[in-house]
């Protein structure tokens, strides 16, 4: 009996050792299937439903897809979304990298680094909508920006393009999302060993050469992570564009909100699928720049 019991225990241990990884993966796989894969499949399926003015049926058709790509309005919104995303991504990097460079490389105290990063996220202690709407009195014809520029003699007449244009949308998005570029880059820069910079100076490298050959390549994983954060949020944006453009600048997110509000589920699903594909392409392209698994 003891021999049989030992044999059973051995078989059980082998069973659990063999299938333990699958048991550990099961909760995550189930979660992803329920809240990612199945919704995406349903969205693709609904995008082929037949949509009429007052009703929708499950009869499959490509009419909504044809409407999207043949309409100058909707396809133009796709191009506008990509253009604003590229602009915001560029300026968040342009503004965020020097800040991250200072925090991560020139501030060696971990406590001070933490305090500075906390200071960067202080605006997030207030409502997102309040932060967006706060730009209206700043950028208006009689807003703070125009008043200051007129006071110091830079301009003689108010600049009207600061509000209710693509420019105002870009300004608002850059201010909101630049912190997502600063954080990851500062983290990677803080990990750079100071001996590498000393070695570069010892062999006669100029500060510019040290930055180009040592600092920037080592910070690329942070740039990639920051770019992914900014890209995902900007591509799915709708609130900032509505608030700062006076509904004159329609992004894909705005059109989705409008279509859902009008109960046009099929067309909203089409735009959702297009937006998901664009995000997937962007993230895949960014991840090919740096192997985050090895670098992080």
């Amino acid at each position: 009996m003891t021999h049989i019991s030992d044999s059973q225990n051995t078989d059980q241990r082998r069973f659990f050792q063999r299938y333990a990884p699958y048991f550990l993966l099961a909760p995550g796989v189930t979660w992803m299937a329920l809240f990612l894969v199945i919704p995406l499949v349903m969205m693709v399926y609904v995008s082929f439903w037949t949509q009429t003015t007052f009703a929708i049926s499950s009869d499959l058709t490509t009419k909504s897809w044809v409407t999207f790509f043949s309409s100058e309005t909707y396809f133009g919104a796709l191009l506008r979304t990509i253009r604003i995303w590229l602009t915001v991504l560029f300026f968040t990097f342009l503004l965020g990298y020097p800040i991250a460079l200072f925090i991560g490389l020139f501030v060696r105290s971990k406590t001070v680094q933490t305090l500075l990063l906390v200071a960067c996220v202080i605006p997030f202690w207030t409502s997102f909508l309040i932060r967006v709407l706060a730009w209206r009195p700043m950028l208006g014809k009689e807003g703070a920006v125009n008043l200051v520029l007129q006071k110091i003699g830079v301009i003689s007449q108010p600049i009207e393009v600061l509000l209710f244009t693509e420019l105002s949308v870009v300004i608002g998005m850059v201010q909101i999302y630049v912190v997502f570029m600063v954080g990851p880059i500062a983290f990677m820069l803080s990990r750079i060993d100071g001996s590498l910079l000393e070695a570069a100076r010892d062999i006669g490298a100029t500060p510019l050469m040290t930055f180009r050959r040592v600092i920037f390549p080592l910070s690329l994983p942070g740039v990639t992570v920051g770019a992914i954060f900014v890209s995902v949020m900007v591509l799915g944006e709708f609130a900032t564009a509505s608030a700062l453009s006076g509904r004159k600048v329609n992004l894909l997110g705005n059109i989705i909100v409008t279509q859902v509000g009008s109960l046009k589920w099929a067309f909203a699903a089409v735009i959702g699928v297009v937006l998901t594909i664009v995000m997937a392409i962007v993230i895949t392209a960014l991840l090919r720049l740096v192997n985050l698994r090895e670098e992080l």
Side-chain angles (χ1 to χ4, degrees):
M1 294 292 293
T2 303
H3 175 72
I4 295 174
S5 178
D6 291 342
S7 177
Q8 289 177 341
N9 290 335
T10 301
D11 291 341
Q12 289 176 354
R13 283 196 299 270
R14 288 177 178 174
F15 174 82
F16 284 113
Q17 288 175 354
R18 181 176 180 180
Y19 292 102
Y22 299 102
F23 291 138
L24 295 174
L25 285 173
V29 172
T30 303
W31 179 273
M32 294 293 287
L34 290 175
F35 298 103
L36 179 64
V37 177
I38 293 177
L40 286 176
V41 172
M42 285 300 300
M43 185 167 61
V44 173
Y45 175 56
V46 172
S47 71
F48 289 98
W49 282 8
T50 301
Q51 178 82 60
T52 60
T53 304
F54 301 105
I56 186 171
S57 67
S58 58
D59 298 330
L60 301 183
T61 179
T62 59
K63 184 179 179 180
S64 296
W65 286 91
V66 172
T67 300
F68 177 82
F69 286 103
S70 62
S71 171
E72 183 179 347
T73 300
Y74 299 127
F75 190 71
L78 171 61
L79 299 180
R80 187 182 305 111
T81 301
I82 294 174
R83 182 174 65 251
I84 289 179
W85 157 64
L86 289 172
T87 306
V88 173
L89 185 63
F90 172 76
F91 281 106
T92 51
F93 172 76
L94 190 66
L95 297 175
Y97 198 96
I99 299 172
L101 186 65
F102 174 75
I103 296 174
L105 205 60
F106 293 97
V107 178
R108 305 314 300 178
S109 171
K110 296 296 182 183
T111 302
V112 177
Q113 284 182 351
T114 302
L115 290 175
L116 290 175
L117 288 174
V118 169
C120 289
V121 300
I122 283 177
F124 286 83
W125 297 358
T126 61
S127 167
F128 173 87
L129 191 58
I130 291 175
R131 284 182 283 130
V132 172
L133 293 177
W135 280 106
R136 284 194 174 188
M138 293 285 290
L139 301 175
K141 290 179 62 177
E142 298 180 359
V145 174
N146 275 316
L147 289 177
V148 170
L149 292 177
Q150 285 179 292
K151 283 286 185 180
I152 62 178
V154 175
I155 58 175
S156 58
Q157 297 293 329
I159 303 174
E160 297 184 10
V161 297
L162 289 179
L163 189 61
F164 300 139
T165 60
E166 283 192 21
L167 177 60
S168 60
V169 174
V170 170
I171 292 173
M173 287 187 182
V174 169
Q175 183 270 327
I176 291 169
Y177 298 123
V178 67
V179 67
F180 293 98
M181 188 68 77
V182 172
I185 298 175
F187 171 75
M188 291 305 303
L189 289 171
S190 66
R191 296 177 57 186
I192 296 178
D193 192 343
S195 61
L196 293 175
L197 305 180
E198 292 179 6
R201 286 194 295 268
D202 290 342
I203 62 176
T206 63
L208 182 60
M209 188 179 298
T210 302
F211 173 79
R212 186 165 55 89
R213 296 288 184 88
V214 180
I215 297 174
F216 186 72
L218 292 176
S219 69
L220 271 179
V223 175
T224 302
V225 173
I228 290 174
F229 286 161
V230 173
S231 298
V232 170
M233 288 180 287
V234 171
L235 286 172
E237 257 279 14
F238 65 93
T240 305
S242 294
L244 295 182
S245 73
R247 300 187 182 274
K248 295 178 181 178
V249 177
N250 276 327
L251 306 182
L252 288 183
N254 300 103
I255 297 177
I256 291 175
V257 172
T258 302
Q259 296 300 316
V260 170
S262 303
L263 302 181
K264 296 183 179 180
W265 306 106
F267 199 76
V270 169
I271 303 173
V273 173
V274 171
L275 192 56
T276 302
I277 292 173
V278 172
M279 287 186 181
I281 293 173
V282 169
I283 294 173
T284 302
L286 290 171
L287 290 177
R288 290 183 67 87
L289 295 176
V290 179
N291 190 334
L292 293 181
R293 182 176 296 181
E294 292 182 0
E295 298 292 342
L296 299 177

